[in-house]
Amino acid sequence: MSNNQGKNILAELYLSGLSIKAVAEHTGQSEWTVRQTIKVMGIVRKRSKAISIGKRQSQPKLSYQDLLERKEAAPLFKAMHMLNSHYRDKQASL
């Protein structure tokens, strides 16, 4: 792989939304190397943009259907938990 190909791969990964740390882990380069390469290429993100990308990636937005299913399933999970704890109590007393 030529030096330009390596720089293009770093740039592509970074511009796709990965953090400098994630790009470094993915490519096997040091974080310093990735950061310097991105600075030289002039594609460094503003801190506010990086924070908003990080928040979006760490907290996936749930669809209305997912929220509805969670709401409907909550009483079932509570009942299952109560039955399970009751069963464990019975087994412990034997």
Side-chain angles (χ1 to χ4, degrees):
M1 178 182 347
S2 74
N3 197 22
N4 280 343
Q5 286 176 327
K7 286 182 179 180
N8 289 339
I9 291 171
L10 291 177
E12 187 177 318
L13 290 171
Y14 182 72
L15 291 173
S16 72
L18 290 179
S19 66
I20 290 174
K21 183 176 183 177
V23 172
E25 289 173 358
H26 186 76
T27 60
Q29 300 285 329
S30 70
E31 287 183 46
W32 186 87
T33 302
V34 172
R35 186 174 286 109
Q36 294 306 313
T37 303
I38 288 170
K39 278 184 183 178
V40 168
M41 295 177 83
I43 56 173
V44 178
R45 286 190 286 262
K46 291 182 179 180
R47 184 167 177 79
S48 59
K49 179 71 172 173
I51 290 171
S52 69
I53 289 172
K55 283 183 179 179
R56 261 187 279 136
Q57 289 176 348
S58 67
Q59 298 175 356
K61 186 130 183 138
L62 295 175
S63 69
Y64 175 76
Q65 187 66 34
D66 291 334
L67 293 172
L68 186 61
E69 286 176 359
R70 280 188 178 185
K71 186 177 179 181
E72 290 175 352
L76 175 64
F77 284 124
K78 185 175 180 181
M80 288 174 56
H81 177 71
M82 289 175 55
L83 287 171
N84 190 25
S85 61
H86 178 72
Y87 176 75
R88 277 186 281 152
D89 292 343
K90 285 273 193 190
Q91 291 296 325
S93 67
L94 293 179

